[in-house]
Amino acid sequence: MSRFFLTTPLYYVNARPHLGHAYSTIVADTVVRFRQQLGENASFLTGTDEHGQKIQRAAEAAGITPQQFADANAARFREEWDRLGLRYSYFIRTSEARHAAAVAAVFRRMQANGHIYKGEYSGAYCVHDELYVEGQPGDVCPTCGRPTEKLTEENYYFRLSAFQQPLLKLYEEQPEFIRPESRRNEVLAFVQAGLRDLSISRTSIRWGIPVPGDEKHVFYVWLDALCGYLTGIGYGSELPADRQRFQDLWPAWHLVGKEIVRFHAVYWPAFLMAAGLPLPRGIIAHGWLLFEEEKMSKSRGNVVRAEPIRRVLGSDALRYFLLREISFGQDGSFSYDSLVSRYNSDLANDWGNLASRTLNMIHRYFGGKIPYPAAGVAWLHGDLEIMRLAEQARDELRQAFDQHHFARGLESVWQLIAGLNRYLVDQEPWALAEKNDSGSRSRLATVLHIAAEGLRFIAVLLASVLPGSANRLWTQLGLEGDAAQRIDGLTWGKIPVDQAIAPIEPLFPRLEKAVAIEQLRRLETESEAAASSGQAAAGQSAAAASAPPADATAPTPAAVMDKAATAVPPAAASAPTANAPAAAAAGTQAAAGASGSAARIAIDDFAKVDMRVGEVKTAERIPGATKLLKLTVDIGTETRQIVAGIAEAYTPFDLVGKKVVIVANLEPRKLRGVESNGMIVAASDPATGKPTLVSVPAETPNGARLR
Ligand code: ME8
């Protein structure tokens, strides 16, 4: 059986997952499910990239160790994928011991092959991208636009320059090594322009994997992280089962966002060549998810999360939207408006209605047994047209998905769905049912058989993109097993004679758009406010950071979910993935978060937090955000705008004139698009999460520092 092994990027754990991360992981899950439907032994790996300056700093800011910080956020990624029903086979965390050993092994091989030397480097370094860049320290990084810093180090260097020709040869011999073509051209141009040796160790960073034999160095985070693709499937282990797995699975295909193509298509193959290890099969690059015309990213403060969408519309609807709306490889915009529109038009109207009409008529007219056409029946033009559309959808989807043209493949299935809806209108089975002659009865059997057979095709073809709904339809059709049947073996006319269908429930209940959007916004606000007031309440302690974001002050995810379930019963009830385990897992962490205590820190660490007394000058609600208030706070030297997740405990009226304590030296961030320049300190009730503001007597001057 042929094997197919795919990887997603290993996501940084400096923040919790957003829809951009979910997009890559959903695509990987879909591709793997699709390959399995072609009879391949397909699987994918995902995981988290946990070392480096960025994470070290984020942990410092949270007042906990990098390991604690990484543990908390890695768990969030895993939980997110589990809740969305994403079936990764391997999850690698780069802070695992097995990984450190494997990175050291790769390095030793590179060294033994003469591709490593020691040298000194001083230059402009982008902490965010973990990359030296051209220009002077202080210049902005060409990739992310943040100011660079000066870094001088004695480093281990990798002779990347020696790999220019081997890389060019690779791209030439394997034109499909980098897909799509546009990305390949960018990489070609980059390599043709010449490659400089690459510094692959750092002495300025403590949070990393030590270089064997020279422990004051840690490995450059990209060398470390890329090796995770190997470790995650057993490389470096002595156990025979691990060695065998690695042999079986490697080389992989790598699915990545377009901004990290260079690391995967240039550095990574060069590292592997230097270590004498087999090269990846290829790099598949996708575009960015945009929100309000900009790349969705934590630093831009414009992220959307998957969880509210899963709760209101179900994870299938999210998968469908991302694969149908975004032309794979290109950037695409996300909005709740278009998400709910697609849900209503494509899923509820087109597919959902087709299924419920057909199944209801089979119940009503044939006692719940799928009718079979009489032997030797003469097919009419309309019948043949459906068969043609079904086979066309099968062939086009297969071809399109093979080339990662998901939207195109789905369009073909929707042509079949539209064709079947038209067919029912043209054939009027309800009118045939009113006539009592045997000809009409026989025609009715043929029409409903064709519709049911069409539904069977649709369920199989959509099983990789909408696995939960395809399976529900499969079960309603009374068929055995699940919808993830072989696509290459899918042929017309295979519904068993006298097949009894199961009770019917709507696949996608129609949603009132405004209500659904309001609900999505409410859940989003609650979760963001919980994340931010979780930090506020706990002073960014280990307790806050080691529990998932929604824990400290917000209703527990279970409570939020209950609200979702009562407000939009059909969608929430039909959400296919395991709600109960998600709620249980989150509940456990909420408890851990409440009872956990912060790791001890040195006084110097505390001194880094600039806490000041301030006076609230103005306070107002933020439209559409139930938990957030926008405040202006006078801190003596200036007046700051701060967004605080306290609207459920305090009204604007309660606050104006009140003395509060703020953390003044936090990076500004945006909440619901509103910039927050600092954070209000509050205590969080461990049971209810209700925030209580920390205050000081009225005579304390504004700007007084807390020490
Ligand atoms: O780059 N649209 O991690 P990362 C689409 N740790 N995809 C997006 C996205 C968006 N707006 N935002 C993020 C790293 N992604 C490194 C990778 S691999 C050995 C190390 C997805 O947390 C997309 O796949 O910044 C992108 O490449 C990845 O998340 C970046 O994740």
Side-chain angles (χ1 to χ4, degrees):
M1 193 190 284
S2 79
R3 286 195 187 262
F4 178 88
F5 175 57
L6 183 68
T7 66
T8 72
L10 308 184
Y11 306 111
Y12 287 128
V13 287
N14 62 329
R16 57 199 184 107
H18 61 68
L19 211 54
H21 304 118
Y23 176 57
S24 308
T25 321
I26 285 173
V27 170
D29 184 76
T30 303
V31 169
V32 161
R33 287 175 191 259
F34 166 70
R35 296 259 151 216
Q36 288 168 346
Q37 284 192 271
L38 293 177
E40 293 180 26
N41 186 343
S43 57
F44 80 96
L45 167 147
T46 188
T48 41
D49 180 356
E50 306 192 355
H51 289 131
Q53 188 112 323
K54 190 161 32 177
I55 286 134
Q56 187 177 312
R57 286 194 180 170
E60 273 163 14
I64 53 175
T65 65
Q67 187 67 62
Q68 286 173 314
F69 191 86
D71 288 349
N73 271 338
R76 287 174 183 157
F77 277 90
R78 232 187 142 120
E79 281 158 14
E80 177 104 341
W81 308 151
D82 291 344
R83 279 196 290 257
L84 288 172
L86 307 181
R87 297 197 306 203
Y88 53 88
S89 298
Y90 310 98
F91 193 101
I92 179 71
R93 296 184 52 194
T94 61
S95 68
E96 291 177 59
R98 61 175 173 146
H99 175 68
V103 176
V106 171
F107 173 75
R108 280 202 205 92
R109 292 178 70 119
M110 293 162 79
Q111 204 172 27
N113 292 337
H115 299 298
I116 303 289
Y117 64 95
K118 230 173 171 182
E120 188 177 85
Y121 184 81
S122 178
Y125 187 77
C126 173
V127 171
H128 182 263
D129 291 332
E130 310 275 8
L131 197 64
Y132 281 110
V133 296
E134 301 274 348
Q136 298 302 313
D139 290 356
V140 293
C141 163
T143 312
C144 72
R146 293 178 176 76
T148 54
E149 296 180 14
K150 181 171 178 175
L151 203 60
T152 304
E153 295 183 293
E154 186 196 50
N155 285 337
Y156 284 91
Y157 276 85
F158 168 59
R159 283 188 210 286
L160 181 63
S161 55
F163 288 88
Q164 184 189 26
Q165 289 315 320
L167 285 169
L168 290 173
K169 187 158 168 262
L170 167 71
Y171 310 143
E172 195 185 306
E173 284 174 0
Q174 292 184 45
E176 300 253 296
F177 185 75
I178 306 161
R179 300 196 222 176
E181 182 79 20
S182 52
R183 301 281 157 239
R184 177 173 186 269
N185 294 338
E186 284 170 15
V187 170
L188 268 179
F190 176 78
V191 176
Q192 275 160 351
L195 295 173
R196 291 208 303 198
D197 290 351
L198 188 71
S199 148
I200 53 150
S201 75
R202 303 279 180 268
T203 49
S204 54
I205 302 170
R206 279 166 295 135
W207 178 235
I209 297 176
V211 172
D214 198 353
E215 266 83 29
K216 69 176 187 299
H217 290 262
V218 300
F219 284 112
Y220 170 46
V221 69
W222 271 99
L223 172 62
D224 167 347
L226 288 160
C227 288
Y229 296 143
L230 307 176
T231 332
I233 52 169
Y235 179 80
S237 164
E238 293 300 319
L239 295 176
D242 289 339
R243 296 169 80 97
Q244 186 59 47
R245 187 176 332 105
F246 181 72
Q247 286 299 324
D248 288 345
L249 295 178
W250 190 256
W253 289 95
H254 297 306
L255 175 72
V256 297
K258 65 181 184 183
E259 79 290 357
I260 54 174
V261 167
R262 197 208 310 169
F263 298 95
H264 286 80
V266 182
Y267 299 173
W268 182 224
F271 293 157
L272 290 168
M273 284 179 200
L277 289 167
L279 304 187
R281 289 192 195 284
I283 318 297
I284 307 159
H286 64 70
W288 287 338
L289 217 55
L290 311 177
F291 188 70
E292 290 164 354
E293 306 306 316
E294 279 207 82
K295 182 189 178 206
M296 190 182 288
S297 72
K298 175 187 178 254
S299 48
R300 290 183 176 83
N302 64 347
V303 295
V304 173
R305 314 275 177 195
E307 187 55 7
I309 300 171
R310 183 187 72 81
R311 288 182 182 169
V312 178
L313 304 176
S315 65
D316 275 10
L318 173 61
R319 296 168 72 102
Y320 175 72
F321 178 84
L322 294 174
L323 291 161
R324 174 69 186 78
E325 187 88 5
I326 294 165
S327 190
F328 185 83
Q330 296 174 16
D331 294 351
S333 289
F334 178 87
S335 75
Y336 284 146
D337 196 280
S338 43
L339 170 70
V340 179
S341 294
R342 276 253 175 235
Y343 172 95
N344 275 338
S345 70
D346 299 12
L347 299 179
N349 268 6
D350 297 346
W351 183 23
N353 274 348
L354 173 68
S356 58
R357 278 158 109 188
T358 305
L359 295 171
N360 273 320
M361 285 191 282
I362 292 171
H363 262 299
R364 200 169 319 139
Y365 307 140
F366 291 94
K369 283 197 174 158
I370 299 176
Y372 225 77
V377 71
W379 304 114
L380 301 187
H381 173 73
D383 307 340
L384 294 168
E385 178 61 10
I386 294 300
M387 296 176 206
R388 189 190 66 75
L389 280 175
E391 285 171 1
Q392 177 177 309
R394 176 198 60 202
D395 298 344
E396 287 184 355
L397 176 123
R398 184 174 170 182
Q399 215 179 12
F401 275 33
D402 198 47
Q403 297 297 314
H404 313 115
H405 295 314
F406 305 106
R408 199 184 299 162
L410 289 170
E411 265 167 40
S412 302
V413 181
W414 255 259
Q415 277 174 19
L416 170 61
I417 291 173
L420 274 164
N421 275 322
R422 265 194 323 268
Y423 177 73
L424 292 181
V425 171
D426 292 347
Q427 303 297 326
E428 298 187 309
W430 44 89
L432 289 170
E434 300 210 327
K435 299 182 187 154
N436 282 327
D437 61 297
S438 67
S440 300
R441 180 77 188 161
S442 147
R443 182 70 197 142
L444 178 62
T446 302
V447 170
L448 290 183
H449 176 85
I450 287 180
E453 184 62 0
L455 286 180
R456 187 178 70 91
F457 256 66
I458 292 163
V460 174
L461 295 178
L462 295 182
S464 61
V465 176
L466 296 120
S469 336
N471 280 337
R472 286 208 307 284
L473 176 57
W474 194 258
T475 307
Q476 291 181 40
L477 284 166
L479 296 166
E480 277 183 16
D482 63 20
Q485 304 287 313
R486 290 284 287 264
I487 290 176
D488 45 353
L490 183 62
T491 48
W492 189 263
K494 288 289 182 324
I495 284 194
V497 178
D498 279 346
Q499 170 72 48
I501 61 173
I504 305 168
E505 42 151 326
L507 284 182
F508 300 100
R510 209 184 149 74
L511 296 176
E512 195 55 57
K513 190 172 183 180
V515 175
I517 292 180
E518 165 59 28
Q519 184 155 30
L520 286 162
R521 295 230 162 94
R522 185 169 59 75
L523 288 176
E524 177 195 289
T525 309
E526 283 176 358
S527 129
E528 296 308 312
S532 62
S533 63
Q535 287 173 351
Q540 300 189 335
S541 71
S546 64
D551 315 343
T553 59
T556 63
V560 174
M561 193 181 70
D562 288 342
K563 279 191 216 160
T566 44
V568 274
S574 67
T577 48
N579 282 338
T588 322
Q589 270 142 6
S595 63
S597 61
R600 287 177 189 272
I601 56 168
I603 186 79
D604 296 353
D605 291 325
F606 176 67
K608 287 183 196 148
V609 184
D610 182 13
M611 285 201 275
R612 306 248 168 202
V613 171
E615 184 179 330
V616 179
K617 290 296 184 191
T618 64
E620 60 185 280
R621 290 189 175 278
I622 296 179
T626 49
K627 290 205 135 202
L628 300 183
L629 289 179
K630 182 168 88 177
L631 313 176
T632 49
V633 181
D634 177 355
I635 56 165
T637 48
E638 60 182 305
T639 299
R640 294 280 188 92
Q641 174 170 299
I642 298 180
V643 178
I646 53 173
E648 288 185 340
Y650 295 90
T651 65
F653 182 76
D654 297 332
L655 291 168
V656 175
K658 198 172 170 69
K659 292 271 178 173
V660 290
V661 173
I662 75 156
V663 179
N665 61 340
L666 277 182
E667 291 284 348
R669 55 178 296 199
K670 278 192 177 167
L671 287 165
R672 295 300 299 259
V674 182
E675 181 156 305
S676 183
N677 198 353
M679 184 176 83
I680 304 276
V681 179
S684 173
D685 182 318
T688 63
K690 189 171 171 246
T692 306
L693 288 180
V694 171
S695 193
V696 291
E699 60 274 18
T700 320
N702 294 344
R705 186 157 182 199
L706 277 81
R707 300 167 195 276

